[in-house]
Amino acid sequence: MSGDRVLLVRDGTFAALTSGGAVTGRRGTSPDGLFRCDARHLSRWQLTVDGAEPAVLVPAADGAVPAVSVLMPRGTRDEPAAYTVFREQAVTAGVLVEHLRLVSNRPVEVTARLELLADADFADQFELRADGRTYDKGDGRRSTSELPDGVEFTYRRGEDWSATTTVRGTPAPEAVRTTPEGTVLAWTVTLPPQGDAEVRLRAEARTPGGPAVSQVASPAEAARELTSDIGKFTLPAITEGTDEALARACAQGLADLALLRVPATGPGGEALRVPGAGIPWFLTLFGRDSLLTSLFALPYRPELAEHTLLALAATQGTTYDAFRGEQPGRIVHEVRLGELAHFRQVPYGRYYGAVDSTPLFLVLLHAHRGLAARLETQARAAVDWMLGDGGLTEHGWLVYTPDPNGLVNQNWKDSEGAICFADGTQADGPIAVAEAQGYAYDALLRTAELAREDWGDPAYAERLESVAADLRARFHRDFWLPEQDFPALALDGAGRRADALASDAGHLLWSGILEEDRAARVGRRLLEPDFFSGWAIRTIAAGQAPYHPLSYHRGSCWPHDNAVIALGLARHGLTEELRTLAAGLLATAEQHGWRLPEVLAGYSPTDHPAPVPYPHSCSPQAWAAATPLALLTALRGGR
């Protein structure tokens, strides 16, 4: 969020507010509201004082907890405001808590009239994106019920879907009335001479499938809990001996990772907290995002990896469901709890359309190691999926076919047109993207080690090692572009090399599938000016037909993509290139208050002296938050 937007987030709940603490019903690329489990539970939250919107004397600072703004009635130079409103707001699991303290500015008794317009439209986040799609809401119906101390909004659909938002005030409002814009709660507050008075508000969001709401009673209490939580993620010792920029970026990243954790459930029913992908659209468990985030953070916050592995094991595919892309052994791409997912308007209740989540699950399982014995069954099922439905046996590659119900591309560059030839033409399936072959190679070798050392199955280990060796040999034969001295982005369904030069090649350094001499040449090539913007490595090298600096995956720069590349550069001893890349990313972080964005435009410092933002970037975003930790590992020689 930027500009006058303030973001509060905790335990899978977030509120996007104006700098004065309001929700206006905004839709589109930057909606406001109180959100939980993919639904907007407050679409209006607008305070008026003495019949008018108050002036914002001091705006709330984004990132501060609680968010504190100072408001006042709109007075004049000759008749200044009779009182001032100090507004504190905080979010915790399923709850927005607010404290309004009115302070009199006069030596006589003052009467203040407060009104709060509240409403809940229960819009699914997919409806709010303004992407031109419409969704069938069936028999969904909203209702409003007056309470002794507030109001309750309810949304029902069918026999089994009922979401509620309850707003309560202390003291109870003296009047509650319905308007076309929502429900108005009103208070008349008497302030003694130079004295003060308080109104406390609490909005609770309850959604089917969602965990229990917090019982936190005040913004101050919520802030104490959050500060304690973030404090557990503050590890100053990890940055000893590093420069200030890296230390500050790591500190911000750890704080954001603490905020972005969302509730999940393990295979034994245990309560977990896993990295949600990002805000506003992706505050939920994502296979690929949560796995890479956990890998980046593993040396410093190993519990993220533990919880992510258990949550993904609990949601691993067990049957065939073409609408959701589910197949036995496949690791989920995205978990959604919203209305549209429940009624199969979108395939994302559990959507499995990712080619890379399954091998990355095996990579993280080996890297974490502590769950190797417990998750042996799930690991073998994941290998079976790669060899079977994933395509390694039938096609010789890990492949995906564009999904008519979901994603055209099912690697990390999942936008339409991202996997393309040098002329910009989208590859057609079954598509074998380069980086997924590297992940598969790494996963096979790592799982072989688990089989030999943890499961006592050397025959299985030998089988996986044989498959991996064959995959590596064929990769060098079929993916290499001799004229460009660079790997192809992908092979299409006819085996043709998608010859756009793309950053995915850097992932091959990390996975180890490239021979040493080729890896070194690729690493150096990625730091040439057409790839490296000066801030980060572009997704597509500039100068090619598909390149556009404001394209989501065809010219922009993604910090997490660069983090994988950095780890690959470290693996192959490309120290100079690694330092150049790290310096660019840290300069980018500094320009964003040490919080790396999800994605930035591909412009260079010669185009503009500061990084140009990508228009629809999520912030905070988990794998961007974990990128400084990956840089720290890489600069220390890890992978």
Side-chain angles (χ1 to χ4, degrees):
M1 297 294 180
S2 60
D4 70 340
R5 317 301 286 176
V6 173
L7 182 68
L8 302 171
V9 57
R10 180 85 195 278
D11 284 337
T13 303
F14 75 93
L17 310 167
T18 69
S19 60
V23 173
T24 64
R26 181 172 172 173
R27 303 172 77 91
T29 58
S30 183
D32 61 3
L34 176 68
F35 293 86
R36 191 186 196 208
C37 295
D38 304 319
R40 180 158 69 176
H41 282 264
L42 284 178
S43 53
R44 294 280 182 176
W45 190 258
Q46 293 173 279
L47 182 70
T48 58
V49 294
D50 293 340
E53 180 184 357
V56 180
L57 187 62
V58 179
D62 191 18
V65 179
V68 180
S69 54
V70 182
L71 315 175
M72 64 179 186
R74 296 182 181 273
T76 67
R77 183 179 62 180
D78 298 326
E79 187 70 25
Y83 59 91
T84 304
V85 181
F86 295 85
R87 187 177 203 177
E88 295 184 1
Q89 297 168 300
V91 157
T92 185
V95 177
L96 170 69
V97 282
E98 180 165 326
H99 180 193
L100 298 170
R101 186 167 69 93
L102 285 71
V103 178
S104 172
N105 300 322
R106 293 184 177 171
V108 296
E109 186 175 273
V110 171
T111 299
R113 178 72 175 177
L114 299 184
E115 292 191 342
L116 178 71
L117 171 65
D119 197 23
D121 62 5
F122 298 100
D124 193 286
Q125 282 189 270
F126 286 91
E127 296 179 85
L128 294 176
R129 289 190 184 188
D131 59 2
R133 295 184 61 183
T134 58
Y135 298 94
D136 179 8
K137 299 284 285 186
D139 61 350
R141 55 204 181 277
R142 290 196 304 150
S143 60
T144 302
S145 303
E146 185 175 333
L147 304 174
D149 57 353
V151 62
E152 182 170 87
F153 306 102
T154 302
Y155 178 78
R156 292 183 174 85
R157 183 175 174 185
E159 299 296 322
D160 62 346
W161 187 266
S162 177
T164 61
T165 305
T166 306
V167 177
R168 299 182 186 275
T170 306
E174 64 188 51
V176 177
R177 69 178 188 274
T178 300
T179 74
E181 291 78 28
T183 298
V184 175
L185 285 65
W187 295 262
T188 301
V189 180
T190 300
L191 304 178
Q194 305 290 359
D196 62 9
E198 296 181 348
V199 174
R200 295 179 181 270
L201 301 167
R202 178 182 176 89
E204 293 187 358
R206 301 178 187 273
T207 304
V213 301
S214 169
Q215 296 307 305
V216 163
S218 69
E221 185 181 349
R224 285 193 297 271
E225 280 196 2
L226 182 58
T227 300
S228 174
D229 210 13
I230 291 176
K232 297 171 186 175
F233 266 57
T234 302
L235 301 173
I238 71 172
T239 55
E240 288 179 359
T242 64
D243 63 33
E244 181 183 358
L246 181 55
R248 294 184 70 171
C250 285
Q252 181 63 58
L254 286 165
D256 286 340
L257 289 176
L259 292 174
L260 288 169
R261 288 174 297 166
V262 299
T265 304
E270 59 269 56
L272 307 170
R273 297 175 79 191
V274 301
I279 294 172
W281 305 119
F282 307 118
L283 193 61
T284 186
L285 174 66
F286 269 70
R288 177 192 307 120
D289 298 56
S290 299
L291 285 161
L292 284 174
T293 298
S294 299
L295 275 162
F296 295 166
L298 181 58
Y300 318 105
R301 299 268 34 131
E303 67 271 29
L304 291 180
E306 178 184 355
H307 286 211
T308 294
L309 287 166
L310 290 171
L312 292 175
T315 54
Q316 187 175 29
T318 59
T319 188
Y320 288 96
D321 184 332
F323 182 68
R324 303 194 307 180
E326 182 176 2
Q327 295 164 337
R330 195 175 194 182
I331 296 299
V332 74
H333 169 58
E334 180 177 353
V335 175
R336 292 289 185 175
L337 298 174
E339 173 198 2
L340 295 182
H342 179 81
F343 289 99
R344 294 176 76 91
Q345 288 290 296
V346 293
Y348 300 110
R350 286 186 185 175
Y351 181 56
Y352 292 80
V355 73
D356 47 10
S357 295
T358 306
L360 287 172
F361 173 82
L362 295 168
V363 170
L364 182 61
L365 180 63
H366 172 271
H368 182 270
R369 205 61 176 255
L371 293 171
R374 180 179 176 185
L375 299 183
E376 177 184 354
T377 298
Q378 289 88 346
R380 289 179 182 263
V383 171
D384 288 345
W385 177 83
M386 288 200 303
L387 297 176
D389 292 312
L392 274 178
T393 299
E394 179 182 354
H395 299 283
W397 310 107
L398 203 60
V399 301
Y400 64 85
T401 301
D403 183 356
N405 298 315
L407 296 169
V408 172
N409 290 308
Q410 296 185 8
N411 62 326
W412 83 263
K413 292 179 177 175
D414 57 7
S415 59
E416 187 172 356
I419 307 305
C420 60
F421 291 83
D423 65 1
T425 305
Q426 163 72 34
D428 198 9
I431 299 169
V433 288
E435 79 273 14
Q437 313 318 311
Y439 300 160
Y441 170 78
D442 195 17
L444 290 166
L445 290 183
R446 289 175 182 261
T447 309
E449 186 173 316
L450 294 180
R452 184 172 283 110
E453 298 180 4
D454 294 73
W455 306 337
D457 192 345
Y460 188 60
E462 290 174 5
R463 177 190 171 203
L464 299 188
E465 288 165 345
S466 175
V467 175
D470 176 65
L471 176 61
R472 189 178 198 230
R474 289 186 294 101
F475 184 87
H476 279 273
R477 181 193 70 201
D478 293 350
F479 272 79
W480 199 254
L481 299 168
E483 291 185 6
Q484 293 88 345
D485 196 30
F486 202 78
L489 172 56
L491 302 181
D492 72 0
R496 296 179 301 170
R497 299 182 181 109
D499 54 352
L501 303 186
S503 62
D504 307 59
H507 295 225
L508 306 175
L509 277 65
W510 175 62
S511 64
I513 197 172
L514 287 182
E515 295 170 353
E516 191 65 37
D517 59 337
R518 285 184 171 178
R521 298 201 300 274
V522 168
R524 296 187 183 103
R525 178 69 181 84
L526 288 168
L527 271 296
E528 293 183 13
D530 58 344
F531 263 120
F532 183 58
S533 72
W535 307 112
I537 293 170
R538 300 178 176 101
T539 45
I540 289 281
Q544 302 176 94
Y547 173 74
H548 189 302
L550 290 171
S551 169
Y552 197 50
H553 289 128
R554 301 204 325 184
S556 59
C557 303
W558 290 66
H560 93 276
D561 183 31
N562 282 253
V564 175
I565 296 170
L567 292 168
L569 294 171
R571 175 173 184 156
H572 293 280
L574 297 169
T575 305
E576 181 180 348
E577 289 78 10
L578 171 60
R579 288 175 178 166
T580 299
L581 178 57
L585 288 167
L586 292 174
T588 300
E590 183 177 11
Q591 294 280 342
H592 290 84
W594 303 107
R595 172 184 283 166
L596 281 167
E598 174 192 25
V599 55
L600 56 146
Y603 294 109
S604 72
T606 58
D607 296 313
H608 190 270
V612 176
Y614 179 79
H616 310 303
S617 178
C618 289
S619 184
Q621 205 263 359
W623 57 17
T627 287
L629 302 177
L631 293 179
L632 178 62
T633 299
L635 290 166
R636 291 179 171 178
R639 54 164 292 212

